[in-house]
């Protein structure tokens, strides 16, 4: 069994973005810029936003934070997005989800210029991903693919099972595995015989949001297990969707939580932002 080290892979990705950023500065005098918008006081969102800002510093980006109060109105938020769409030094716009309940996240995402939508959540970018002709890939699924690539794990011809069908993780994850010629099954809360389906997987991706949901009986010997979950166990400790201790010895590869998919999500965000910067400045 080998543990896939998301920290190491993400450090490699960030280092290559840092070098690319230097090149952009030296050759064109351009610094990529990311605007991060956070509304309200959700502690988990605050941690994610801080980590994103820290990653921007590491790779040499300009980052701007817009921290808005909980009572921000839809109009105020849309107005901010409109302003950011028009700012030349902002190449990527990220609105941290979830938004407070009174705000319509769909409308906010649709207001972002698709060329600055570095989360790849806008309908235009989602459509492009379906067609396989994309500029940006959603950060978490793309981060998973990057880990598979860096560990030379091939997808072609493999049985790939994704548990979860969210627009942010499960659905695009299935699509990216399909693009690489995996035979993909996407499971959800209405799936029958989930354990049976999962136990046929060569590559099993868990994106459920339930702590330690994937148990050893659901995993085939030698499977690759990718744990997207960021959950809290009964003691409030961060854990994944996979019962790591009992599953790990059955796997050929497994990602830990923390230190697996999480850091990759942020590294991909950095990749998307520099790509957005290049596209907006007509640089290949
Ligand atoms: P989500 O929107 O809540 O989706 C969860 C999915 O799991 C749904 O499709 C749901 O099915 C399915 N599900 C729930 N209970 C199930 C059950 N008993 N059997 C089978 N399927 C079941 O969650 P998400 O946004 O995709 O996130 C999933 C997890 O990944 C969370 O722990 C989240 O914190 C984590 N996450 C991590 C990162 C990262 O960077 N590491 C990024 C994003 C998310 P239905 O559609 O039928 O309801």
């Amino acid at each position: 069994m080998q543990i896939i080290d998301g920290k190491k892979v993400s450090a490699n990705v960030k280092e290559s973005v840092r070098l690319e950023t230097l090149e952009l500065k030296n050759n064109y005098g351009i610094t990529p810029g990311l605007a991060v918008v956070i509304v309200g006081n959700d502690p988990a969102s605050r941690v994610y936003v801080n980590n994103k800002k820290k990653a921007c510093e590491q790779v040499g980006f300009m980052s701007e934070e817009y921290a808005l109060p909980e009572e921000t109105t839809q109009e105020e938020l849309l107005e901010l997005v409109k302003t950011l769409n028009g700012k030349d030094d902002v190449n990527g716009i990220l609105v941290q989800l979830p938004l407070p309940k009174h705000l319509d996240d769909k409308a906010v995402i649709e207001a972002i210029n698709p060329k600055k939508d570095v989360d790849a959540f806008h309908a235009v970018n989602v459509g492009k991903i379906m067609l396989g002709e994309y500029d940006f890939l959603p950060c978490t699924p793309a981060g998973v693919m990057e880990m598979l690539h860096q560990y030379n794990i091939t997808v072609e011809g493999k049985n790939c099972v994704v548990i979860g069908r969210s627009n942010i993780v499960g659905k695009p994850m299935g699509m990216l595995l399909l693009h690489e010629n995996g035979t993909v099954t996407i499971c959800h809360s209405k799936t029958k015989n989930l354990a049976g389906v999962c136990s046929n997987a060569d590559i099993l991706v868990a994106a459920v949001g339930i702590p330690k949901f994937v148990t050893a009986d659901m995993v085939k010997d030698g499977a690759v297990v990718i744990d997207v979950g960021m959950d809290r166990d009964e003691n409030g400790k961060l854990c994944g969707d996979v019962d790591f201790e009992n599953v790990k010895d059955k796997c050929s590869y497994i990602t830990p939580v923390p230190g697996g998919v999480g850091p990759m999500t942020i590294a991909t965000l950095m990749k998307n932002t520099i790509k957005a910067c290049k596209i907006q400045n007509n640089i290949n």
Side-chain angles (χ1 to χ4, degrees), residues 4 144 148 153 155 158-164 173 177 183 185-187 194-208 213-220 222-229 241-243 247 251-255 261:
I4 299 181
V144 170
L148 297 179
I153 298 165
V155 173
K158 303 259 174 78
N159 271 337
C160 304
V161 174
V162 180
I163 320 175
M173 188 72 250
L177 291 163
T183 302
T185 307
I186 301 183
C187 302
L194 183 72
V197 176
C198 291
S199 60
N200 273 323
D202 302 309
I203 299 177
L204 178 63
V205 182
V208 196
F213 180 81
V214 174
T215 46
D217 60 306
M218 296 165 76
V219 176
K220 181 166 117 174
V224 175
V225 174
I226 306 290
D227 190 350
V228 178
D241 288 346
V242 176
D243 180 6
V247 166
C251 305
S252 54
Y253 294 89
I254 186 166
T255 64
V261 176

Side-chain angles (χ1 to χ4, degrees), residues 58-74:
Q58 286 171 346
V59 300
F61 290 177
M62 181 279 288
S63 77
E64 289 177 354
E65 179 185 311
Y66 295 85
L68 306 181
E70 182 84 24
E71 57 276 11
T72 301
T73 64
Q74 181 78 7

Side-chain angles (χ1 to χ4, degrees), residues 163-165 186-194 208 210 213:
I163 320 175
R165 56 172 164 181
I186 301 183
C187 302
H188 44 77
S189 65
K190 307 289 184 291
T191 297
K192 297 230 160 52
N193 186 23
L194 183 72
V208 196
I210 301 176
F213 180 81

Side-chain angles (χ1 to χ4, degrees), residues 34-274:
L34 178 69
V36 183
V37 181
I38 176 170
V39 186
N41 307 309
D42 180 52
S45 292
R46 172 42 60 199
V47 172
Y48 295 141
V49 164
N50 287 348
N51 288 342
K52 286 166 188 176
K53 278 168 54 190
K54 199 169 128 204
C56 284
E57 272 168 38
Q58 286 171 346
V59 300
F61 290 177
M62 181 279 288
S63 77
E64 289 177 354
E65 179 185 311
Y66 295 85
L68 306 181
E70 182 84 24
E71 57 276 11
T72 301
T73 64
Q74 181 78 7
E75 290 68 32
E76 285 165 339
L77 185 53
L78 290 175
E79 198 49 46
L80 172 61
V81 170
K82 202 173 147 196
T83 304
L84 296 174
N85 280 340
K87 278 187 83 176
D88 286 343
D89 58 344
V90 168
N91 305 112
I93 302 170
L94 183 147
V95 178
Q96 186 65 45
L97 301 179
L99 290 170
K101 292 230 167 359
H102 67 281
L103 297 171
D104 177 359
D105 41 0
K106 239 171 141 185
V108 174
I109 289 166
E110 290 309 301
I112 297 173
N113 177 347
K115 289 192 166 59
K116 296 190 176 188
D117 168 41
V118 284
D119 261 336
F121 292 164
H122 192 287
V124 166
N125 290 322
V126 173
K128 285 184 170 185
I129 292 158
M130 278 285 281
L131 298 172
E133 298 162 1
Y134 42 79
D135 295 322
F136 314 117
L137 290 173
C139 297
T140 301
V144 170
M145 297 312 288
E146 181 75 37
M147 288 199 290
L148 297 179
H149 297 154
Q150 290 213 17
Y151 279 79
N152 295 317
I153 298 165
T154 52
V155 173
E156 183 158 323
K158 303 259 174 78
N159 271 337
C160 304
V161 174
V162 180
I163 320 175
R165 56 172 164 181
S166 70
N167 290 330
I168 293 173
V169 188
K171 278 187 212 164
M173 188 72 250
M175 195 53 61
L176 299 195
L177 291 163
L178 183 62
H179 285 329
E180 295 204 4
N181 299 320
T183 302
V184 179
T185 307
I186 301 183
C187 302
H188 44 77
S189 65
K190 307 289 184 291
T191 297
K192 297 230 160 52
N193 186 23
L194 183 72
V197 176
C198 291
S199 60
N200 273 323
D202 302 309
I203 299 177
L204 178 63
V205 182
V208 196
I210 301 176
K212 301 179 188 177
F213 180 81
V214 174
T215 46
D217 60 306
M218 296 165 76
V219 176
K220 181 166 117 174
D221 281 327
V224 175
V225 174
I226 306 290
D227 190 350
V228 178
M230 299 261 255
D231 312 317
R232 297 274 160 192
D233 70 11
E234 58 282 6
N235 303 314
K237 201 173 145 224
L238 183 65
C239 73
D241 288 346
V242 176
D243 180 6
F244 184 85
E245 277 313 311
N246 294 309
V247 166
K248 67 179 192 319
D249 294 326
K250 289 187 91 176
C251 305
S252 54
Y253 294 89
I254 186 166
T255 64
V257 178
V261 176
M264 291 306 302
T265 299
I266 295 183
T268 311
L269 177 69
M270 300 298 109
K271 260 173 89 169
N272 284 352
T273 304
I274 198 162

